[in-house]
Amino acid sequence: MRILIADDDPHSLRLLRLLLLKEGYEVLTANNGREALAALSRPDSPRLVVLDWMMPDIDGVAVCKELRAGETEQDYRYIVLLTAKSEIDDLV
C-alpha cells in the first residue's frame, strides 16, 4: 500500500516516514500542501494520505477540501489529519 505524508516539519515527516517504511508501506512525502496536491493529482497517487493540519501556504484542511471537491467514487482517498490543536471548536 502506498501512503502520502505531508508535513512542513522535517523531523515529524522523517519519523512518520521511517515508522511506515518499517511496517512495509511504500511512502511518498510532501513538504507542504501544494506538493501534496501535486502528488495526489497523478493517476497512480496513493489512496491513503496523512496530512499535517497546520502547514504554510495550503494547510491540511484546504488540501482535504480540494481533494473532496472533484472526487469521484473511483478516486476516493482516505485522509488522516494530524494536529497539535486541542481546542474543542477546532476539533469539531
Side-chain angles (χ1 to χ4, degrees), residues 17-53:
R17 180 180 175 274
L18 290 174
L19 288 170
L20 291 171
L21 285 172
K22 183 179 176 184
E23 294 300 320
Y25 295 102
E26 181 182 346
V27 180
L28 303 174
T29 60
N31 296 307
N32 56 54
R34 191 169 309 284
E35 286 182 16
L37 285 173
L40 293 167
S41 68
R42 297 183 190 126
D44 63 341
S45 65
R47 294 288 167 235
L48 177 58
V49 185
V50 179
L51 299 170
D52 181 21
W53 183 325

Side-chain angles (χ1 to χ4, degrees), residues 66-81:
E66 181 76 22
L67 289 175
R68 295 293 188 235
E71 193 170 65
T72 66
E73 194 172 309
Q74 287 79 20
D75 59 20
Y76 183 84
R77 290 175 182 84
Y78 296 91
I79 301 170
V80 177
L81 269 177

